[in-house]
Amino acid sequence: MKLIVAGPGAFGQKHLDALKRIDGVEVAAVIGPEMDATRATAEKYGIPQALATLEEGLALPGVEAAILCTPTPIHAAQAQQCLAAGKHVMVEIPLADSWADAQAVAALQQQTGLVAMVGHTRRFNPSHQWIHRKIVAGELKLQHLDVQTFFFRRTNMNALGQPRSWTDHLLWHHAAHTVDLFQYQTGEAVVAANALQGPDHPALGIAMDMSIQMKATGGALCTLSLSFNNDGPLGTFFRYICDNGTYIARYDDLISGKDEKIDVSKVDVSMDGIELQDREFIAAIRDGREPNASVAKVLPCYEVLNRLEQSLL
């Protein structure tokens, strides 16, 4: 299967690392407007072409699908561009930074019938998969999901320490992970949602701190705090408070509330959530089925983000 990867930056390279471990996949081109960086990434991964535009990549012979790791503000437009060109697409989180744009992608996916998936990686991390299986089996019931998403980002730099051409967002990007995960793990809709935010950064123009509360249909709560002002430790920490135990997940690792390490190495074929996400995308295309984290399945997350944004106006 021939793929193209748009975005040679930090997250694009995570996908390129993952794709090397998946049989039967060929990356035909890496795409990015800064040609020096794009060529360097293509050379690093042995990819035959470095291209400047998504349009060029979609026109390559035999290309079936695209993975978009491009700036958030163009995710929705580029996802629609791929679908309109007859290509399956996985767009990194977030699908869009507005409810209208998210709905537009969903509508085009329904019209084309192509696989369209979003990088909601928490659905695939072995730690969260372990919890999900326990909930589905009736062994756990989630009562409160307490989440901290903490970064130190007072300048517009990416995870590789390189300048960004766009500005990251706590609500539409980082909160999207938890809003979707909460609904996925409970299997229920969010019936109440509230948000507060701190002052905007004078140069970046975004809120640097945010607090979100949610309640699911069955009564489970989620409390999410987010900050770009936190000077370590960095990352996201999920505390699952359940009727039959407490568990703390950090990416692909899981411990109990008593600090006992839980072996999640046999949950799936890899311990890398990005690789598992990519495997699901490719398998869904090959099998002609809807993937986990399809646009349709994650769309309720973006409806909740829209509600939260409206409450902050």
Side-chain angles (χ1 to χ4, degrees), residues 120-130 238 250-253 267 271-274 276:
H120 284 258
T121 316
R122 300 298 161 260
R123 290 177 176 236
F124 300 95
N125 291 119
S127 53
H128 298 296
Q129 280 202 56
W130 189 92
F238 300 84
R250 188 177 189 273
Y251 300 105
D252 298 310
D253 296 320
V267 168
M271 282 288 289
D272 180 356
I274 301 296
L276 297 173

Side-chain angles (χ1 to χ4, degrees), residues 21 124 126 129 264-265 267-273 275-276 279:
R21 299 191 290 268
F124 300 95
Q129 280 202 56
V264 294
S265 63
V267 168
D268 214 322
V269 298
S270 169
M271 282 288 289
D272 180 356
E275 177 185 337
L276 297 173
R279 286 182 179 276

Side-chain angles (χ1 to χ4, degrees), residues 63-270:
V63 166
E64 295 181 53
I67 296 178
L68 305 179
C69 307
T70 50
T72 291
I74 58 175
H75 279 184
Q78 287 192 330
Q80 291 174 84
Q81 184 180 352
C82 293
L83 293 170
K87 312 299 182 184
H88 306 287
V89 63
M90 176 162 63
V91 56
E92 255 313 322
I93 196 168
L95 170 61
D97 55 8
S98 78
W99 175 227
D101 284 348
Q103 289 177 295
V105 179
L108 186 55
Q109 185 282 320
Q110 286 292 306
Q111 181 183 325
T112 63
L114 293 163
V115 172
M117 182 174 161
V118 190
H120 284 258
T121 316
R122 300 298 161 260
R123 290 177 176 236
F124 300 95
N125 291 119
S127 53
H128 298 296
Q129 280 202 56
W130 189 92
I131 295 285
H132 188 73
R133 293 178 187 183
K134 294 282 187 183
I135 291 172
V136 171
E139 298 173 27
L140 291 176
K141 181 176 175 58
L142 182 60
Q143 295 172 320
H144 195 163
L145 179 61
D146 186 83
V147 184
Q148 297 175 324
T149 295
F150 289 161
F151 300 98
F152 188 69
R153 189 172 294 162
R154 293 181 182 171
T155 57
N156 209 10
M157 308 290 279
N158 69 13
L160 296 177
Q162 301 163 338
R164 268 202 172 112
S165 61
W166 53 284
T167 305
D168 205 358
H169 201 281
L170 287 176
L171 180 64
W172 284 97
H173 178 182
H174 297 288
H177 281 293
T178 297
V179 172
D180 178 66
L181 183 68
F182 182 53
Q183 293 181 102
Y184 179 62
Q185 299 291 46
T186 60
E188 298 170 354
V190 167
V191 293
N194 308 300
L196 295 171
Q197 65 182 12
D200 286 352
H201 188 279
L204 298 176
I206 55 170
M208 299 291 284
D209 291 277
M210 192 171 291
S211 175
I212 293 172
Q213 295 174 302
M214 293 178 286
K215 183 176 183 179
T217 307
L221 298 179
C222 178
T223 301
L224 168 62
S225 59
L226 307 105
S227 181
F228 283 144
N229 278 320
N230 174 70
D231 195 6
L234 308 178
T236 302
F237 306 86
F238 300 84
R239 180 181 291 270
Y240 287 93
I241 301 171
C242 303
D243 62 341
N244 190 26
T246 292
Y247 301 91
I248 301 161
R250 188 177 189 273
Y251 300 105
D252 298 310
D253 296 320
L254 186 67
I255 61 172
S256 74
K258 295 179 171 56
D259 206 29
E260 302 157 329
K261 185 174 177 60
I262 295 168
D263 182 8
V264 294
S265 63
K266 303 297 189 294
V267 168
D268 214 322
V269 298
S270 169

Side-chain angles (χ1 to χ4, degrees), residues 17-74:
D17 286 331
L19 291 167
K20 287 195 302 184
R21 299 191 290 268
I22 303 174
D23 292 336
V25 173
E26 175 190 345
V27 180
V30 63
I31 296 154
E34 300 292 335
M35 288 309 299
D36 286 345
T38 305
R39 287 191 193 98
T41 300
E43 184 176 340
K44 176 182 176 181
Y45 288 93
I47 296 166
Q49 296 202 61
L51 302 173
T53 68
L54 180 59
E55 184 177 10
E56 292 174 272
L58 294 172
L60 290 175
V63 166
E64 295 181 53
I67 296 178
L68 305 179
C69 307
T70 50
T72 291
I74 58 175

